[in-house]
Amino acid sequence: MRRKRIIGTIIYHILVAIGAFVMIYPLLWMVFSSFKPTQTIFATASQMIPTEWTLDNYITGWKGLQRYTFGTFFANSFIIAMGATIGTLLSSSVVAYALQRLNFGLKKVLFACVLSTMMLPAQILMIPQYLWFSNLGWVGTYYPMILPYWFAVQGFFVYLIMNFIGGIPKELDEAAKIDGCSYYGIFARIILPLVVPSLITCAIFSFIWRWDDFLSALLYVRSVKMYPVAMALKTFTDPTSSSDYGAMFAMSTLSLVPITIIFLIFQKSLVEGIASSGIKG
Amino acid sequence: MESKKTFAQKLSTEKAAGYICSVPFVIGFLGFMLIPMVISLYYAFCDYDIVSPPVFSGLKNLKKAFSEPRFWMSLRATAYFALIGTPLKVIFALIVALILLRNSKVSGIYRAVYYMPSIIGGSVAVAFLWKRMFQPDGTINRVIRSVFPEYKLINWLADERAIWVLILLTVWQFGSSMLIFLSSLKQINQELYEAAEVDGANKWKQFWKVTLPLLTPTVFFNLLQQTINSLLAFTQSWVITGGTQDTTRFYAVYQYQEAFTNRNAGYASCLAWIMLVLVSIVTFLLFKSRSKWVYDA
């Protein structure tokens, strides 16, 4: 009986491990291919580990587009993703505090609006927002990709932080009030320090989404100098601009590095964030 | 006393604090969502090419959409993608979640690996990789040929097949649904299984009579979210097939091409509103069906 259990466990692990391998095979294939000499990649496609390792693909790929290296594109992506993420955290937490803790007339209406932003996907807003931003003269700048996020436009972050604030005992607010703290002081001194765990979850998701956001870059960025990585990569991998697949795989791999590192470090808060709020990954 | 409050005192009431703290959202909601949507509703009834001012043209854009074959084909491609891709993704997520529920020292690693594709799946890098894998001289064909030398190369990205490549890409990203299933599975009261066992129900019966009914709210949530996401897919279609094939030109891509390639901003606004109506109808129908199959404890 015991032996049967052990055999069962072994079979389970073998099957699950094979499944896991199949799941990440495409990614592993890309990473290993990026270290193969570029002309051998497809001839040796069925063999994953390179026989001859090389960094040439990274060196040629890094040269980038026109006069700009991928260093520029990475810096651009960081500026956009960080700018949007910081704004999201600050604005979403203030709004979440108001909607969760304070009583005022239009609270219910505003909460309904927050929920409606969760149901309204970006692709529906794509054209209306573009036309609006082009009237404002924002096309060709980073404004459309950063500024809106300073105004809590992503309902799920507000919602996620609201739920978290809901778990903080109200006695803390009341004690602070008795000690003479204003409603703003309660937010800054009591609530904000305590919601840091949920802010970390929000920060990770926000950063990853903004890093991967190809559509906004396609709409709003005009000059190569301002390309974020996603946009540069799309241009770089177009068959019309190059046929150096080694370099393309190398830069594709690099573009995934920041997200992968964040994922590995914060895996636990990510998993908990999805499980508790059900936001998409 | 009450009426003679100073300005600073007025600002520090609970009501005032509530409004002041909500200001960011009010500005964001009005300025970046409501106003653009309302203005585009006007554009939807105009001839507008972005450069010159809009000219009112009545129902012309709406009539154009309904008579344009490309409009119907993009709807068809999107519906195909959503109706096949979403259920497959949710079923897959549930099966893998059930398998990974078993605890072991490495279950955290398994979970991370199975979730990995979802976290990077929306990126250009993955879409490009997918394209290279399924091209006629791509990885998939080469690998199959190295095992079966007789194999005749298939162009996976040809018209009638390309949609399946996109569906496979979205099903591959079942990770976030899987995590949501895992967390609900862990919340199921174990005593229910013990009771079922006493009644003589085997594992198979336990799944259908206990697990699945209790999971229906989660199934509903995943279906709703993934359906809306797939109705609006853009990057995959844009990068992999370039938006050139009728079979894989998704609605969002069609809208983009009309606005920017053909400079029909009025028509594209009309398309955005049609999609908003369609998404609302789908959401409404899903909610309507809820009471029929979702078990609420």
Side-chain angles (χ1 to χ4, degrees):
Chain A
M1 199 55 196
R2 196 161 166 257
R3 205 165 147 176
K4 213 174 146 192
R5 275 255 301 272
I6 293 174
I7 292 174
T9 308
I10 292 172
I11 291 174
Y12 170 84
H13 282 287
I14 290 175
L15 290 179
V16 175
I18 290 175
F21 180 74
V22 171
M23 284 295 287
I24 53 164
Y25 176 82
L27 299 172
L28 293 177
W29 184 84
M30 179 174 80
V31 174
F32 282 116
S33 293
S34 72
F35 292 105
K36 290 176 179 174
T38 183
Q39 66 281 8
T40 69
I41 290 178
F42 289 102
T44 62
S46 55
Q47 170 205 352
M48 195 157 82
I49 312 286
T51 29
E52 191 189 329
W53 291 77
T54 171
L55 281 175
D56 288 352
N57 298 324
Y58 285 85
I59 295 163
T60 41
W62 189 257
K63 289 187 189 128
L65 299 165
Q66 297 177 16
R67 301 184 317 279
Y68 302 99
T69 67
F70 263 85
T72 310
F73 307 138
F74 272 90
N76 292 339
S77 276
F78 268 107
I79 292 170
I80 296 167
M82 288 306 286
T85 299
I86 293 170
T88 295
L89 296 184
L90 291 175
S91 59
S92 303
S93 54
V94 174
V95 174
Y97 166 68
L99 293 181
Q100 180 71 40
R101 278 294 211 254
L102 302 174
N103 277 315
F104 55 101
L106 289 174
K107 182 174 165 165
K108 288 214 172 98
V109 179
L110 288 179
F111 182 62
C113 293
V114 168
L115 290 184
S116 77
T117 67
M118 290 169 74
M119 306 299 275
L120 191 67
Q123 284 84 339
I124 285 180
L125 285 167
M126 165 171 87
I127 306 293
Q129 275 185 339
Y130 178 85
L131 298 173
W132 176 239
F133 290 145
S134 96
N135 283 335
L136 294 177
W138 285 8
V139 174
T141 70
Y142 286 156
Y143 293 148
M145 300 161 79
I146 296 176
L147 271 184
Y149 299 101
W150 285 75
F151 296 94
V153 288
Q154 285 167 299
F156 14 73
F157 291 133
V158 177
Y159 187 66
L160 190 139
I161 301 171
M162 272 180 76
N163 282 342
F164 202 86
I165 295 177
I168 299 172
K170 252 197 142 161
E171 288 77 34
L172 288 177
D173 300 28
E174 274 144 27
K177 210 155 58 184
I178 292 165
D179 289 344
C181 214
S182 69
Y183 289 102
Y184 309 100
I186 293 174
F187 171 71
R189 290 175 198 191
I190 313 280
I191 301 293
L192 201 56
L194 287 173
V195 293
V196 168
S198 71
L199 292 185
I200 292 175
T201 310
C202 293
I204 299 163
F205 278 112
S206 166
F207 189 88
I208 292 175
W209 291 343
R210 299 282 68 82
W211 184 270
D212 274 348
D213 184 9
F214 165 68
L215 186 54
S216 314
L218 185 67
L219 291 172
Y220 298 112
V221 177
R222 290 286 179 268
S223 61
V224 174
K225 189 183 159 196
M226 290 174 70
Y227 275 10
V229 173
M231 186 72 192
L233 196 61
K234 169 69 176 79
T235 315
F236 191 69
T237 55
D238 263 343
T240 44
S241 64
S242 154
S243 58
D244 185 347
Y245 284 108
M248 293 181 196
F249 285 132
M251 290 307 107
S252 296
T253 304
L254 268 193
S255 79
L256 297 176
V257 165
I259 295 177
T260 311
I261 290 175
I262 291 176
F263 173 63
L264 293 176
I265 297 176
F266 295 106
Q267 209 221 107
K268 242 184 118 189
S269 6
L270 258 176
V271 170
E272 276 159 17
I274 294 174
S276 61
S277 65
I279 58 182
K280 63 181 174 167
Chain B
M1 269 295 276
E2 276 296 302
S3 56
K4 290 267 172 178
K5 272 185 177 169
T6 64
F7 185 61
Q9 273 170 331
K10 272 184 193 156
L11 280 183
S12 61
T13 63
E14 183 169 359
K15 219 172 129 188
Y19 284 116
I20 288 172
C21 290
S22 314
V23 162
F25 176 74
V26 174
I27 295 176
F29 185 71
L30 292 179
F32 300 120
M33 303 178 118
L34 204 60
I35 293 175
M37 283 308 288
V38 170
I39 294 179
S40 80
L41 184 59
Y42 169 65
Y43 290 153
F45 297 101
C46 292
D47 274 333
Y48 183 34
D49 64 357
I50 304 181
V51 189
S52 43
V55 181
F56 189 77
S57 63
L59 293 175
K60 189 179 149 204
N61 289 325
L62 205 61
K63 282 185 194 140
K64 180 182 171 187
F66 291 138
S67 60
E68 173 102 36
R70 277 166 30 115
F71 168 80
W72 293 107
M73 294 219 252
S74 74
L75 267 186
R76 188 173 165 272
T78 313
Y80 211 73
F81 180 69
L83 291 180
I84 299 175
T86 314
L88 275 179
K89 192 173 182 173
V90 173
I91 292 170
F92 224 74
L94 177 58
I95 294 174
V96 177
L98 286 167
I99 294 172
L100 294 187
L101 190 60
R102 181 168 166 161
N103 262 321
S104 70
K105 285 194 188 89
V106 285
S107 50
I109 298 175
Y110 289 151
R111 219 173 41 193
V113 172
Y114 280 88
Y115 176 56
M116 184 80 194
S118 305
I119 202 89
I120 55 170
S123 62
V124 171
V126 166
F128 164 66
L129 168 65
W130 220 251
K131 180 179 172 184
R132 283 306 313 164
M133 283 176 53
F134 287 95
Q135 273 178 355
D137 62 341
T139 323
I140 301 286
N141 273 342
R142 301 243 180 193
V143 170
I144 299 179
R145 189 163 245 182
S146 71
V147 184
F148 306 101
E150 301 291 296
Y151 167 75
K152 221 169 131 258
L153 296 183
I154 293 175
N155 181 7
W156 300 99
L157 296 178
D159 275 346
E160 69 284 4
R161 286 190 212 95
I163 188 77
W164 292 100
V165 173
L166 293 174
I167 289 174
L168 186 66
L169 175 59
T170 180
V171 173
W172 183 53
Q173 296 160 30
F174 61 79
S176 60
S177 299
M178 173 196 79
L179 290 180
I180 297 171
F181 275 130
L182 265 174
S183 86
S184 335
L185 279 169
K186 283 182 184 153
Q187 283 161 12
I188 295 179
N189 189 344
Q190 290 304 311
E191 284 167 19
L192 291 172
Y193 292 108
E194 284 156 26
E197 216 151 309
V198 172
D199 291 343
N202 58 17
K203 289 270 174 210
W204 184 247
K205 255 209 158 126
Q206 285 176 23
F207 171 76
W208 289 103
K209 299 284 175 196
V210 181
T211 315
L212 200 57
L214 289 175
L215 274 185
T216 46
T218 318
V219 174
F220 175 79
F221 178 83
N222 278 327
L223 265 183
L224 178 67
Q225 196 182 45
Q226 300 293 351
T227 306
I228 292 179
N229 280 345
S230 51
L231 285 178
L232 299 151
F234 180 86
T235 308
Q236 300 92 327
S237 163
W238 184 254
V239 175
I240 296 177
T241 55
T244 52
Q245 296 167 342
D246 284 335
T247 50
T248 51
R249 187 191 301 109
F250 291 155
Y251 194 87
V253 173
Y254 176 56
Q255 206 185 309
Y256 176 88
Q257 289 176 336
E258 283 299 327
F260 300 105
T261 317
N262 301 343
R263 296 211 151 267
N264 270 334
Y267 181 53
S269 301
C270 185
L271 291 176
W273 274 89
I274 294 175
M275 198 56 187
L276 182 63
V277 172
L278 285 178
V279 169
S280 312
I281 292 174
V282 170
T283 313
F284 176 77
L285 289 178
L286 271 170
F287 269 102
K288 200 84 187 155
S289 78
R290 201 175 191 275
S291 59
K292 299 246 169 15
W293 59 277
V294 174
Y295 173 87
D296 284 303

